[in-house]
Amino acid sequence: MNDNRRSQLITKGDRRTPNRAMLRAVGFGDNDFTKPIVGLANGYSTITPCNVGINDLALRAEKAFKAAGAMPQMFGTITISDGISMGTEGMKYSLVSREVIADSIETVCNGQSMDGVLAIGGCDKNMPGAIIAMCRMNIPAIFVYGGTIKPGKYKGQDLTVVSAFEAVGQFSAGNIDKEELLGIERNACPGAGACGGMFTANTMSSAIEAMGLSLPYSSTMAAEDAEKAESTEKSAYVLVDAIRKQILPSQILTRKAFENAISVIMAVGGSTNAVLHLLAIANTIGVKLTIDDFENIRQTVPVLCDLKPSGKYVTTNLHQAGGIPQVMKMLLVNGLLHEDALTITGQTIAEVLEEVPQTPPENQDVIRPWKSPVYEQGHLAILKGNLAAEGAVAKISGVKKKVITGPARVFESEEECLDAILAGKIKAGDVVIVRYEGPKGGPGMREMLAPTSAIIGAGLGDSVGLITDGRFSGGTYGLVVGHVAPEAAVGGNIALVEEGDSITIDAEKLLLQLNVSEAELSDRRAKWQPAQPRYTRGVLGKYAKLVSSSSLGAVTDSNL
C-alpha cells in the first residue's frame, strides 16, 4: 500500500491513537487496524430510477469487503436526474454534477486516506464523475454500475424514456391523441435502472468495462436482476485483491485503454456524451487524447449493434446476446482492440475475453455478424469548419440525409427553440441554431433532448438540421451537431450567425460551415459583445468561471 494511506498510518505508534479511538466508535476492533480501509462511494437516491436500487448493492459490497478482509467505510455522493431535469433550467446542473461527484469522492477518500475505492452509480454523470475522482487519487479502484432499466411495454412495443419525449412531438404535430400520449408516458419507465437504450449511462458503463475498471458483463446487466448484486459482491473481492497487488488506475487507463473504449462506443452506437467524458478522464489521468482521435477510430470501426435510439433494441437485449465482451471479442479478432491492455482483475483484455466466442449467437440480430454490420463506419463524426474551428460532434446513425444546406433559424436558448418547434414554425430544410448553451454560456451545456425529440415527433428528423454549443442526450438522433467549439459565450462563430444565413452540415465531408464571407464575419465580429453571465454566484457561477472548452472535455481543473 502507499505509505500515506490510513490503514498503515493508524498502526504507527501512539501519535495515531486518536484515529483509532474514533474508528472504534464506527465498528473497528483491535484486529481491524491493519486491514485495507476501502471507501464505498454510494450513489443511492430516490431522485431517479437510475439510482433507487443502489443502496442494496452498496450493502452487498459492504458485506463482501468484510468477508474479504477489508474494512469498508460507506459515504454518499450526489446525483441529479437528467431525464427529469431535461428541458428545464435544472438541466444546467447536470454536467456540473459530474465535477461535484468527482470532487466529493476525491475529498472523502483523500481526506480519510482510503486504501481504495469502490464507487456505485447509475445516472449519466455518476460514471465519469467517479472515474475522474479515481484518476485524481490514483488508488486501486473499481466501478459498479447500478444497472439498466428494463424496457417499458405498450401495445407490443418496447419503450424507453425517449419514447415519452418523442410522443410529445407526435402529439403536438397531431399524429397521436392524448390517450396514446398518456399510455406511452405511463409505461415508459417500469422500474429501477438507468435509461434503457444505448444512451449516455449505458454508453459510459460500456466504456468503463472496455477500459478495464469494471467487471466483464457488468455494464449491461439489468438493475433488478440478481446477477447485478452478485457482480457487485465479486467487484468488492476483486478490489481487495487489487489493493494488495497495488493495481492502480494509471496502470489501467493508458492510451490503449482509451482507444479500446472509443472502439467499443463506435461498435455499440453510443452517446455523443462519451466524447466529452473520455476527453475529461484522459485529461485527468494525463493521457494525450484529442477530439480528432475519435474521428480516426470511427473510420475503422463498424457499428455492430442495432440499438436505440436510432435502432431497434434496448440494452437488456444486448446483454442477452453476449454483452460488451461479445462486442469486444469481435473487435479483438479483427485487429481493432489492444489485447494487452490491463484490467482491474490483473488480467489483460485478451485473457478476459479468452472464452468468449469469436462470432455472435446466430439466433439474434442485436449484434450483427462482422460482415454485415449496421453501418460500415462508426456513427460519432467530428465535424469542423468555420462554425466549429475546434470541432463539433455529430451522431449520424440512422440519418438518411447526411448533407443539408438551409437557412439558419437562430435561438438564444433551448426554451425558445422548443416553443418554435411545437408551434409548427420550423419547416423542412431549416437549420436550427441553439446557442449560448455551452459550458460557459449556459452555463452547464444542457442536453437538447426536448427539441430534438420534438423534431423527430413532428416527422422532421430527416429534413431539419440542428446545431448547438450545448449537448445532446444519449437518446438523441437525427442530423444534429453538438459540442460546437469555440462556443458562443467566448465569441465562437456560432455567436455571429444571423437569421436566414446559409448553413451547411455535411457529415460526409465532415464540414460545419457558415456560408458567409470572411469579410462579413470580420465585420460582425467587430460588433459582437459578450452576453452578460446568466449566473455570477453559486455552483453555476463558479463553474462558468472555471470550465474549459467542450473540445477539452469541459473540465474545471484542466492541466492543458
Side-chain angles (χ1 to χ4, degrees):
M1 299 172 197
N2 298 332
D3 287 342
N4 66 327
R5 307 323 293 182
R6 178 151 55 105
S7 59
Q8 289 195 352
L9 286 175
I10 60 179
T11 66
K12 292 185 178 179
D14 293 341
R15 66 188 178 90
R16 306 306 296 176
T17 298
N19 303 69
R20 293 197 296 269
M22 294 192 73
L23 287 169
R24 289 184 192 280
V26 296
F28 277 63
D30 287 342
N31 296 326
D32 295 327
F33 292 113
T34 58
K35 296 176 182 178
I37 299 175
V38 184
L40 210 173
N42 183 357
Y44 166 72
S45 78
T46 58
I47 289 173
T48 170
C50 313
N51 292 53
V52 74
I54 284 176
N55 199 51
D56 290 340
L57 300 180
L59 293 172
R60 184 75 171 259
E62 183 181 49
K63 184 177 180 181
F65 277 129
K66 292 178 179 178
M71 292 301 291
Q73 293 201 298
M74 190 186 302
F75 60 93
T77 186
I78 64 126
T79 194
I80 68 168
S81 171
D82 288 10
I84 296 171
S85 65
M86 196 74 69
T88 73
E89 194 74 0
M91 187 63 194
K92 293 182 177 180
Y93 288 86
S94 169
L95 187 58
V96 178
S97 75
R98 184 188 75 181
E99 310 306 304
V100 177
I101 292 164
D103 291 349
S104 67
I105 295 174
E106 177 194 2
T107 298
V108 174
C109 289
N110 277 349
Q112 299 302 117
S113 303
M114 302 290 188
D115 293 297
V117 62
L118 182 151
I120 310 179
C123 201
D124 295 7
K125 307 311 173 296
N126 297 179
M127 282 155 280
I131 304 305
I132 287 170
M134 293 171 185
C135 293
R136 291 177 185 173
M137 300 181 296
N138 199 33
I139 59 176
I142 195 168
F143 183 79
V144 171
Y145 179 38
T148 185
I149 197 171
K150 293 181 178 180
K153 302 286 185 180
Y154 183 67
K155 293 185 176 180
Q157 297 295 313
D158 283 348
L159 301 179
T160 69
V161 67
V162 175
S163 307
F165 281 92
E166 291 178 0
V168 173
Q170 292 171 320
F171 177 73
S172 298
N175 296 328
I176 61 173
D177 59 21
K178 190 172 184 179
E179 181 182 357
E180 184 82 359
L181 174 66
L182 290 175
I184 293 171
E185 179 264 313
R186 288 167 177 159
N187 292 280
C189 297
C195 298
M198 190 47 68
F199 309 152
T200 302
N202 287 321
T203 298
M204 290 311 300
S205 68
S206 300
I208 293 167
E209 180 178 329
M211 289 193 290
L213 275 177
S214 63
L215 295 188
Y217 299 100
S218 64
S219 66
T220 54
M221 292 175 178
E224 297 179 320
D225 285 351
E227 65 177 348
K228 173 48 65 178
E230 293 163 3
S231 177
T232 302
E233 178 179 309
K234 184 178 179 181
S235 296
Y237 281 97
V238 167
L239 179 59
V240 174
D241 187 57
I243 291 171
R244 292 179 175 134
K245 294 177 179 176
Q246 280 299 285
I247 301 174
L248 305 177
S250 59
Q251 297 169 289
I252 297 170
L253 296 178
T254 62
R255 169 77 185 199
K256 290 180 179 180
F258 283 97
E259 291 181 355
N260 285 349
I262 295 170
S263 293
V264 168
I265 289 164
M266 295 296 176
V268 299
S271 166
T272 54
N273 284 309
V275 178
L276 195 74
H277 297 322
L278 288 180
L279 287 170
I281 295 166
N283 174 75
T284 306
I285 201 69
V287 169
K288 186 177 180 181
L289 188 74
T290 72
I291 197 169
D292 295 322
D293 291 317
F294 289 82
E295 179 58 37
N296 293 336
I297 293 174
R298 180 190 77 83
Q299 295 182 16
T300 65
V301 178
V303 178
L304 297 172
C305 301
D306 188 13
L307 297 169
K308 291 180 181 293
S310 61
K312 181 179 179 181
Y313 296 103
V314 294
T315 304
T316 52
N317 301 132
L318 173 61
H319 187 66
Q320 293 159 4
I324 296 304
Q326 180 64 76
V327 175
M328 291 179 70
K329 186 59 173 276
M330 295 169 68
L331 293 170
L332 180 64
V333 298
N334 286 281
L336 294 174
L337 217 61
H338 297 289
E339 64 176 21
D340 57 341
L342 182 66
T343 74
I344 189 62
T345 66
Q347 298 172 293
T348 65
I349 289 293
E351 291 169 336
V352 168
L353 300 176
E354 185 176 0
E355 301 299 322
V356 178
Q358 294 190 10
T359 57
E362 294 182 357
N363 60 346
Q364 57 81 44
D365 61 350
V366 185
I367 307 174
R368 297 285 184 83
W370 187 263
K371 292 184 178 180
S372 57
V374 182
Y375 303 104
E376 296 289 339
Q377 291 183 320
H379 64 301
L380 297 181
I382 305 303
L383 275 56
K384 292 187 176 182
N386 67 357
L387 255 185
E390 294 177 12
V393 184
K395 189 175 186 179
I396 59 177
S397 53
V399 175
K400 296 177 182 177
K401 187 178 180 181
K402 294 186 179 181
V403 182
I404 183 172
T405 295
R409 305 296 310 280
V410 181
F411 301 95
E412 310 298 327
S413 72
E414 178 185 2
E415 289 86 352
E416 289 181 16
C417 174
L418 181 61
D419 288 345
I421 296 167
L422 295 179
K425 296 179 180 179
I426 302 301
K427 307 298 181 185
D430 287 345
V431 178
V432 176
I433 303 287
V434 186
R435 62 191 180 191
Y436 293 99
E437 289 285 6
K440 287 184 178 293
M445 207 177 177
R446 284 193 289 184
E447 293 180 350
M448 304 291 148
L449 181 60
T452 58
S453 295
I455 288 171
I456 296 291
L460 297 170
D462 293 322
S463 58
V464 168
L466 191 149
I467 300 170
T468 181
D469 51 8
R471 296 182 295 129
F472 294 116
S473 162
T476 293
Y477 63 103
L479 193 57
V480 295
V481 185
H483 307 201
V484 169
E487 63 175 291
V490 299
N493 280 354
I494 191 172
L496 308 181
V497 180
E498 296 182 358
E499 185 80 9
D501 281 348
S502 173
I503 303 283
T504 295
I505 304 172
D506 191 331
E508 294 176 348
K509 295 181 179 179
L510 306 176
L511 180 67
L512 191 63
Q513 189 75 14
L514 170 58
N515 300 313
V516 171
S517 70
E518 186 54 44
E520 173 64 17
L521 285 178
S522 296
D523 185 55
R524 293 182 188 181
R525 193 173 294 111
K527 298 175 182 177
W528 177 80
Q529 294 291 326
Q532 289 297 311
R534 287 168 169 162
Y535 291 84
T536 57
R537 303 287 299 273
V539 171
L540 294 181
K542 289 190 290 185
Y543 183 83
K545 292 182 180 75
L546 293 172
V547 70
S548 72
S549 168
S550 60
S551 65
L552 300 176
V555 295
T556 55
D557 63 343
S558 176
N559 60 9
L560 300 177

